[in-house]
Amino acid sequence: MNDTTDPKIKIEARGVDVFYGEAQALHGIDLDVNANQVTALIGPSGCGKSTFLRCINRMNDVIDGCRVNGNIAIDGQDIYSSDIDVVELRARVGMVFQKPNPFPKSIYDNVAYGPRIHGLSQSREQLDHIVESSLKRAGLWAEVSDRLSASGTSLSGGQQQRLCIARAIAVSPDVVLMDEPCSALDPIATAVIEELMEELRKDYTIVIVTHSMQQAARISQRTAYFHLGNVVEHGATQQIFTNPKNQQTEAYISGKIG
Amino acid sequence: MSASSLFLCLVGLGLFSFFFGRRRIHKLASGAHGVSQKQHSRDVYHASFLVICATFIPIVLLVVWTGVSPLVIDALLESFLKARANTASLGELNVMIAKTKAYYAGSISAAFIDDTIAEATTYYADLVARSLQARSLAVLLLAIAGAGLGVRKIALRFTARHSVERVAQWIMLVASAIAVLTTVGIVLSLIFETIRFFATVSVSEFLFGLHWSPQIAIREDQAGGSGSFGAIPLFAGTLMITLIAMVVAVPIGLMSAVYLSEYASPRLRGVAKPGIEMLAGIPTVVYGFFAALVVAPFLRDGGADIGLTLSSESALAAGLVMGIMIIPFISSLSDDVINAVPQTLRDGAAALGATHSETIKQVVLPAALPGIVSAILLAISRAIGETMIVVMAAGVAANLTANPFESVTTVTVQIVMLLVGDQEFDSAKTLAAFALGLVLFFITLALNILALYVVNKYREQYD
Amino acid sequence: MTEFSQTDARKAQLAKRYRAETRFKAFGIGAICTAGLILLFLMGSILISSLPAFTQHYVTLDIEISERHIDTQNLADSDWRGLARASLRAQFPDVQGRRDKRALGKLLSLGASDDVRDYVLANPSSLGTSVRLPVTFSDDIDLLLKGVIDRELPENERVVSNQDLAWLDQLVAEGRISRKFATKIFTNGDSREPELAGLRGALVGTLWTLLVTLLASFPLGVMAAIYLEEIAPKNRLTRIIEVNINNLAAVPSIVFGLLGLAVFINFFGMPRSAPLVGGLVLALMTLPRIIIPTRAAFAAIPPSIREAAMGVGASRLQVIMHHVLPLAMPGILTGTIIGLAQAAGETAPLLMIGMMAFIVDVPTDVTAKATVLPAQIYMWANNPERAFMARTSAGIVVLLSLLLLVNATAIYFRKRFEKRW
């Protein structure tokens, strides 16, 4: 692996329980996420991996009847404590969704939206610069530089997803959460996004939920295997895929359960 | 025979055919025991086939004859009277026709009629009686002939189900064509009368004239009513009341839809949504009463207290109450389009750190905008066509004013005023109502089509 | 970034954004409250102003049913009015002079004679005896007793004279005045006298009209919906029909009235003011409002049901009749009931075809002259007498209760039979 030794811990989850109404979706999750690495969350459908991801930027707050117990700390600070502002938190923890969801606005406005609401730019030039650099980092600039005023929804699915990535990194977050970002894309678009993630992890901490084990193996440094709302196993990706310690993990990896 | 007894006859014949047909196919089937042939359609289809043969064409004939024969008889009576009375005046002729019919119906006594009318009445009575006789004969003959032909077709391998289903499909096609026929009927009847209206008043005068006072035009010496049919004050009044209504309805309707679909707890939504929809279920005559007898006096007295002079039929009262009527319309349509905005867009904005109201104002509402614009267009169309509120609360006199405290009149008010009560059907006054109706129809149609266009053109495809 | 450090500038900006949030939310709450208050005010003002119409004051008179006033051979045409007035005069023996006697008689409603006649016709044995009977007061006296007319006003500003007041006070002192539920509002037809005017004619007229509407629009609407949703090929023609139906639903109701006037009355010569024509006009209006929900009900039935039926060899019409239609029936009925409720509240098109005439008799069939509930309300609202305002409000209360009942039935249907696929 190309990890530096003793990586810094960015996100620290301890004993996280999540309830939807009466139903418990997560049972006491303990998980560390290293900075500047890609951490993949894998597991069968309904195992709670997306739910956990949405805890990290408190997107679960939006859902009626959802309750979160336990601690999640980013850089040592509990994000569920009362002095944390959820709006500020989400500016630091960006998210890319399963289905590309560009706003029905121009490409430029899509990327500029975050910087605008957070007041990150003082001038038009600065905003232009943020938009350009974000699109460049998302690898989309070459394709759209001549039509920034076209609607974001006019792009192809893969381009839309990269636009959403550009939109997320335009507010310069520390962490980018990705919820199965390639599940709605074709293989070529998927390959482009996977390359992009390798590039992005230099600046950001990335947590990705994926149902594709190959993808997890290709892109991530660490992997956590979720099953029925528990983290069954969690460690370096290579170890998980070649030498899983837990029988359930092995069964899943080898395709016996799915 | 009267139409209803003839119809009862047909119903009886239909019932008989049903049971007869069923017996017949049953017999054929049991007679064919041992033969390898299998019955194609079930008994009930053979029976229904016979019923259709026996009754369908006669019923159509009965309806058509009943509808058309009065027209034919009237035309015959008119030419009869024309020949007898040697009069060219259409008015006189119409009076004579009316007298003849009234005498025939027994609603005027013999003292009021002369010989010509008496002769015409005999002629008329003869025509009516013969028409009735011929109708009964034709209908019954057709029914029996149809039944006879149908019976001969019934056989084991006869595809009765196909025939019955084909007829059923045709009937359903006709049923859906009724809607089209209604539109055609509306357009034709309005255009027909409007053309007659424009024979006396010019189009440009009607559309651009500034003076409206149809009452003067019924005087004999002013047959054309020149200068009295300028509809601009009506259009202006309609526009002002609609505008006031929109100023009330759009903010309240839109904001309550936003609050209910984005913020409200399910419990509040469960109470508030039906409450607002209750406003939609209230008949317009109730709003009219509320506007005329509660709101208008309230505004007038309140205005007097602060030194404003309000007419008791002010545009403001009618507009305010019309706005109240439109609130649920805007709020429920907006609610639908706001709910149609996919949750992923909201999540996308929230994940960037937008507050809830920023998400709504900058993402949800822009995404829903085509739907909201179309809802507002439909609401305007609704307000323009609304009748009872303005009939009861707005004025009758056509003032051309921009002051909402004064009384104005609207297109719909004038249609009602021109047509309510006894009227001759040929005066420019009544015909003007149809011209106004045509304008109303096309404006509302245009708004509806525009609303549809806005939604289709600017809607984002979310899947 | 190692922690959630906040500069002062960003803190201020965040506070501003939250203030905007609060403001926006307040607008929303304000809008809802405004709508709610309007609804309350509207309902409240109508309910309150309707209350006087539901009770009626009576004066109990000692009536001597003797041959002096009535003709025992011809009870129906006797001078019941004279008898009622004479009985009232008997309470005030010192009232002399034609004018005063007339004024005294005017305290009673024109309907007082009916009170006496109906009693005697129902109790023939009372002939020749003396009975104590409550008879109806006139509308102005009734309003005064209810406090709607202020007796403190100067005499020339109220419709009841000082002398009337004196007489009344005497009757009150003798305990002859009673207040009862006004049954006449449900049992009488229309009348020029507010205290006698009732809704029975309008209610029956509404029933006849809606019957015609239902019979014409329900079969046509359901058949059209079946054709468009289940049978029709998706081609230009059906597309035109669909657009047409949607547009028809948005045509102003008064235009349907013009259609009815031009086609049904002037062209086909159907009778004016008749429930037949009113019902047909409303049927054309209701048609799209039945077709649209019916189609939605069909569309909500999953294709697997149709495939299953076709799989066992049912023809297309059999699939529709045996499976689709029964399953869609709750939705169709709900749509129809709501459409009919809308039709029941419609006034404007009926004004065009003359269903707002003053009609005292209760209509007996669909070609008789009739009026409907909303048109009756409109006519009463135009009457200048003060008591008609309460009458009008009462009419509205009855209309709204009916509509509420009908809509509640529709909601019950939907809840009871609703299926989620």
Side-chain angles (χ1 to χ4, degrees):
Chain A
M1 294 302 296
N2 47 2
D3 292 343
T4 49
T5 50
D6 192 21
K8 192 172 141 266
I9 291 176
K10 185 77 183 173
I11 306 170
E12 213 178 346
R14 290 292 174 268
V16 176
D17 295 327
V18 175
F19 300 85
Y20 292 119
E22 292 297 300
Q24 187 166 5
L26 290 182
H27 304 267
I29 302 294
D30 296 326
L31 191 66
D32 292 340
V33 174
N34 294 343
N36 298 97
Q37 285 192 348
V38 177
T39 301
L41 312 182
I42 62 169
S45 315
C47 65
K49 51 195 194 299
S50 287
T51 301
F52 179 69
L53 192 75
R54 291 171 72 96
C55 288
I56 302 176
N57 67 345
R58 291 180 53 180
M59 282 299 280
N60 285 330
D61 290 13
V62 182
I63 300 168
D64 284 332
C66 180
R67 200 152 47 79
V68 180
N69 296 338
N71 272 307
I72 298 178
I74 296 180
D75 294 329
Q77 199 168 4
D78 182 10
I79 60 167
Y80 280 90
S81 87
S82 57
D83 55 328
I84 285 292
D85 186 277
V86 68
V87 165
E88 285 285 279
L89 170 72
R90 288 181 190 153
R92 284 178 169 72
V93 184
M95 188 166 192
V96 176
F97 296 83
Q98 187 169 3
K99 253 171 47 184
N101 56 351
F103 301 137
K105 300 167 182 282
S106 71
I107 293 172
Y108 183 95
D109 286 340
N110 259 285
V111 182
Y113 181 73
R116 271 192 188 132
I117 57 171
H118 294 293
L120 296 185
S121 63
Q122 263 64 55
S123 64
R124 177 80 191 185
E125 288 74 41
Q126 232 175 332
L127 193 60
D128 288 349
H129 177 74
I130 295 176
V131 170
E132 185 180 335
S133 64
S134 306
L135 283 170
K136 274 180 177 155
R137 290 168 107 177
L140 194 60
W141 178 253
E143 290 156 67
V144 301
S145 60
D146 54 340
R147 49 178 180 134
L148 289 177
S149 58
S151 169
T153 51
S154 65
L155 298 172
S156 74
Q159 289 173 323
Q160 286 188 8
Q161 196 61 298
R162 278 181 283 151
L163 178 63
C164 292
I165 293 174
R167 187 176 70 187
I169 59 183
V171 287
S172 24
D174 297 348
V175 180
V176 178
L177 308 175
M178 297 190 172
D179 190 358
E180 303 192 25
C182 301
S183 65
L185 304 181
D186 61 70
I188 295 168
T190 303
V192 174
I193 296 209
E194 285 181 4
E195 261 174 58
L196 181 61
M197 276 189 263
E198 181 59 28
E199 198 48 41
L200 289 173
R201 80 175 175 98
K202 290 174 189 147
D203 300 306
Y204 310 105
T205 304
I206 297 178
V207 184
I208 177 171
V209 164
T210 175
H211 57 239
S212 153
M213 281 171 288
Q214 289 85 344
Q215 188 177 51
R218 279 195 301 268
I219 59 171
S220 70
Q221 284 73 50
R222 293 183 75 80
T223 297
Y225 172 62
F226 277 67
H227 188 80
L228 295 175
N230 292 297
V231 178
V232 173
E233 191 169 352
H234 153 230
T237 300
Q238 209 171 17
Q239 173 254 314
I240 296 265
F241 278 92
T242 54
N243 186 19
K245 290 180 187 129
N246 186 295
Q247 280 211 321
Q248 272 181 341
T249 316
E250 203 209 331
Y252 181 71
I253 303 283
S254 55
K256 286 184 192 129
I257 57 172
Chain B
M1 254 190 280
S2 76
S4 49
S5 51
L6 209 49
F7 183 75
L8 280 181
C9 271
L10 287 177
V11 170
L13 190 65
L15 278 175
F16 174 76
S17 318
F18 187 85
F19 291 111
F20 186 79
R22 203 164 67 169
R23 262 183 81 93
R24 172 134 185 111
I25 186 67
H26 209 69
K27 239 184 196 160
L28 286 174
S30 49
H33 257 318
V35 186
S36 61
Q37 261 196 340
K38 212 175 139 244
Q39 186 176 336
H40 173 274
S41 305
R42 292 183 51 209
D43 293 359
V44 61
Y45 287 100
H46 288 276
S48 309
F49 173 75
L50 199 58
V51 174
I52 292 169
C53 287
T55 58
F56 186 64
I57 297 177
I59 285 180
V60 171
L61 181 77
L62 178 61
V63 171
V64 171
W65 193 305
T66 311
V68 172
S69 68
L71 305 177
V72 177
I73 293 177
D74 280 5
L76 287 174
L77 178 65
E78 190 179 324
S79 56
F80 176 85
L81 279 169
K82 217 183 220 162
R84 282 302 152 91
N86 297 320
T87 171
S89 150
L90 210 67
E92 238 173 282
L93 210 57
N94 280 336
V95 170
M96 290 169 78
I97 291 174
K99 264 192 178 173
T100 309
K101 283 189 188 168
Y103 184 55
Y104 172 74
S107 52
I108 57 174
S109 70
F112 289 100
I113 59 163
D114 55 23
D115 286 351
T116 321
I117 303 289
E119 266 177 63
T121 307
T122 322
Y123 176 70
Y124 182 74
D126 184 45
L127 282 180
V128 171
R130 272 200 282 173
S131 162
L132 285 183
Q133 268 172 4
R135 183 179 72 182
S136 310
L137 206 64
V139 165
L140 290 179
L141 272 181
L142 267 176
I144 290 162
L149 284 175
V151 169
R152 294 184 52 184
K153 288 213 81 167
I154 292 181
L156 279 183
R157 293 306 298 162
F158 173 57
T159 55
R161 197 187 68 227
H162 292 183
S163 308
V164 171
E165 294 197 345
R166 226 174 5 252
V167 172
Q169 290 198 10
W170 272 102
I171 295 177
M172 288 176 187
L173 173 64
V174 170
S176 35
I178 297 268
V180 180
L181 276 181
T182 308
T183 312
V184 173
I186 289 174
V187 173
L188 281 187
S189 59
L190 291 180
I191 284 184
F192 188 61
E193 309 294 346
T194 304
I195 289 172
R196 286 169 64 193
F197 173 67
F198 285 137
T200 50
V201 177
S202 79
V203 180
S204 63
E205 193 189 314
F206 174 70
L207 287 180
F208 305 113
L210 297 179
H211 187 60
W212 176 272
S213 67
Q215 298 304 331
I216 303 164
I218 55 170
R219 265 176 24 217
E220 284 293 326
D221 55 326
Q222 226 184 338
S226 51
S228 316
F229 283 101
I232 286 286
L234 276 50
F235 299 150
T238 309
L239 208 66
M240 192 204 291
I241 290 180
T242 305
L243 201 72
I244 297 171
M246 288 301 132
V247 168
V248 174
V250 171
I252 298 182
L254 194 56
M255 279 312 293
S256 39
V258 165
Y259 190 83
L260 285 184
S261 52
E262 295 284 335
Y263 286 105
S265 65
R267 244 186 57 200
L268 175 63
R269 198 163 44 231
V271 176
K273 241 181 109 82
I276 290 181
E277 270 159 20
M278 254 176 86
L279 280 171
I282 296 175
T284 53
V285 68
V286 178
Y287 283 111
F289 174 80
F290 183 61
L293 287 121
V294 180
V295 176
F298 178 77
L299 286 179
R300 191 193 51 217
D301 299 344
D305 287 345
I306 56 168
L308 286 172
T309 324
L310 263 78
S311 157
S312 46
E313 293 174 333
S314 66
L316 191 62
L320 280 180
V321 174
M322 194 183 281
I324 294 171
M325 184 198 84
I326 301 279
I327 289 173
F329 194 76
I330 292 203
S331 106
S332 72
L333 285 180
S334 309
D335 198 59
D336 291 347
V337 290
I338 288 171
N339 284 328
V341 174
Q343 184 61 31
T344 57
L345 282 188
R346 293 185 185 90
D347 287 353
L352 286 172
T355 64
H356 203 156
S357 68
E358 284 164 350
T359 307
I360 295 165
K361 280 188 283 192
Q362 293 153 8
V363 175
V364 176
L365 287 184
L369 192 63
I372 293 173
V373 169
S374 127
I376 293 174
L377 287 173
L378 288 175
I380 293 176
S381 148
R382 182 78 177 254
I384 290 177
E386 169 47 38
T387 309
M388 288 321 289
I389 294 177
V390 281
V391 165
M392 295 172 80
V396 178
N399 296 325
L400 192 55
T401 171
N403 181 355
F405 300 152
E406 279 181 39
S407 145
V408 295
T409 192
T410 72
V411 174
T412 47
V413 171
Q414 288 306 315
I415 294 177
V416 172
M417 290 306 143
L418 294 173
L419 284 183
V420 162
D422 292 322
Q423 84 288 125
E424 339 133 57
F425 203 60
D426 291 327
S427 75
K429 188 183 148 196
T430 31
L431 294 177
F434 285 88
L436 289 175
L438 190 68
V439 172
L440 190 65
F441 178 75
F442 275 118
I443 288 177
T444 51
L445 188 69
L447 283 169
N448 296 339
I449 291 174
L450 189 65
L452 204 67
Y453 172 80
V454 168
V455 167
N456 287 336
K457 173 96 197 286
Y458 297 102
R459 185 177 47 196
E460 296 281 344
Q461 287 299 331
Y462 306 113
D463 41 18
Chain C
M1 224 174 291
T2 50
E3 56 184 282
F4 293 109
S5 60
Q6 291 189 337
T7 64
D8 282 350
R10 295 210 49 184
K11 261 185 191 157
Q13 201 221 358
L14 201 61
K16 202 174 132 205
R17 287 170 62 193
Y18 276 121
R19 278 200 300 279
E21 170 80 25
T22 316
R23 213 161 39 233
F24 189 75
K25 232 172 137 173
F27 280 139
I29 295 174
I32 302 246
C33 292
T34 313
L37 284 178
I38 290 171
L39 184 65
L40 273 183
F41 181 55
L42 192 149
M43 293 296 179
S45 63
I46 287 174
L47 207 63
I48 288 170
S49 87
S50 78
L51 285 179
F54 286 111
T55 54
Q56 171 70 41
H57 281 96
Y58 294 84
V59 54
T60 308
L61 296 178
D62 300 307
I63 299 172
E64 196 190 331
I65 303 166
S66 67
E67 303 212 348
R68 200 162 54 131
H69 281 283
I70 54 175
D71 175 1
T72 45
Q73 302 309 309
N74 188 3
L75 285 175
D77 285 339
S78 298
D79 183 14
W80 298 105
R81 190 168 161 198
L83 174 59
R85 292 193 167 185
S87 308
L88 179 61
R89 275 203 299 277
Q91 300 299 320
F92 301 98
D94 44 341
V95 171
Q96 296 298 327
R98 272 182 71 86
R99 190 191 275 181
D100 281 354
K101 281 183 177 170
R102 274 177 65 106
L104 184 59
K106 284 228 165 134
L107 293 184
L108 294 183
S109 160
L110 286 180
S113 51
D114 297 347
D115 296 334
V116 184
R117 184 194 61 203
D118 293 348
Y119 176 82
V120 175
L121 286 180
N123 306 286
S125 59
S126 64
L127 272 174
T129 65
S130 180
V131 292
R132 278 174 77 88
L133 203 62
V135 300
T136 314
F137 264 131
S138 81
D139 53 332
D140 290 333
I141 303 301
D142 184 48
L143 284 185
L144 183 99
L145 288 168
K146 284 168 184 162
V148 179
I149 293 176
D150 185 2
R151 61 184 293 163
E152 304 302 327
L153 284 173
E155 187 177 12
N156 55 1
E157 282 178 30
R158 58 175 142 79
V159 283
V160 184
S161 71
N162 285 340
Q163 175 151 54
D164 293 346
L165 281 182
W167 288 330
L168 266 184
D169 290 340
Q170 188 183 334
L171 288 173
V172 172
E174 289 170 11
R176 290 187 174 273
I177 288 176
S178 58
R179 186 173 185 172
K180 295 185 195 163
F181 182 73
T183 49
K184 287 203 173 78
I185 195 164
F186 295 109
T187 56
N188 276 18
D190 199 6
S191 168
R192 298 276 184 221
E193 307 300 320
E195 75 277 11
L196 300 180
L199 292 167
R200 183 148 168 237
L203 280 167
V204 174
T206 294
L207 277 184
W208 281 122
T209 309
L210 287 185
L211 184 72
V212 173
T213 304
L214 178 67
L215 289 181
S217 64
F218 183 70
L220 279 179
V222 172
M223 284 197 293
I226 291 177
Y227 184 78
L228 291 173
E229 193 65 34
E230 301 283 330
I231 297 175
K234 297 281 172 257
N235 59 19
R236 238 183 125 79
L237 180 71
T238 45
R239 179 90 195 109
I240 289 174
I241 296 181
E242 277 170 23
V243 171
N244 204 290
I245 288 171
N246 287 332
N247 271 325
L248 209 56
V251 168
S253 59
I254 192 172
V255 173
F256 284 95
L258 290 174
L259 173 77
L261 178 61
V263 173
F264 293 134
I265 294 182
N266 285 318
F267 190 73
F268 285 118
M270 292 184 183
R272 273 178 75 86
S273 310
L276 177 64
V277 180
L280 288 178
V281 168
L282 292 182
L284 291 181
M285 259 183 65
T286 311
L287 203 51
R289 294 172 189 170
I290 291 181
I291 294 177
I292 293 170
T294 302
R295 289 190 64 181
F298 285 147
I301 292 166
S304 58
I305 302 266
R306 298 182 182 85
E307 283 159 9
M310 273 187 272
V312 297
S315 72
R316 188 151 58 174
L317 215 60
Q318 284 170 328
V319 173
I320 295 167
M321 289 303 169
H322 300 165
H323 301 281
V324 179
L325 196 58
L327 289 172
M329 212 28 118
I332 297 174
L333 289 181
T334 311
T336 307
I337 293 173
I338 291 174
L340 278 184
Q342 276 178 341
E346 212 34 90
T347 324
L350 301 179
L351 299 188
M352 300 286 92
I353 55 165
M355 287 192 83
M356 52 160 293
F358 174 72
I359 294 150
V360 179
D361 298 325
V362 174
T364 49
D365 63 67
V366 293
T367 53
K369 281 194 182 300
T371 188
V372 293
L373 211 42
Q376 182 75 74
I377 290 167
Y378 170 64
M379 286 185 286
W380 281 357
N382 285 341
N383 275 331
E385 283 98 335
R386 233 177 135 170
F388 263 118
M389 171 135 175
R391 253 352 195 216
T392 312
S393 302
I396 289 175
V397 170
V398 171
L399 176 64
L400 289 181
S401 318
L402 270 183
L403 293 183
L404 201 68
L405 193 75
V406 169
N407 281 318
T409 317
I411 291 169
Y412 172 77
F413 259 110
R414 192 162 52 195
K415 285 260 181 320
R416 175 80 174 70
F417 297 106
E418 188 177 49
K419 276 203 186 71
R420 287 250 168 254
W421 302 97

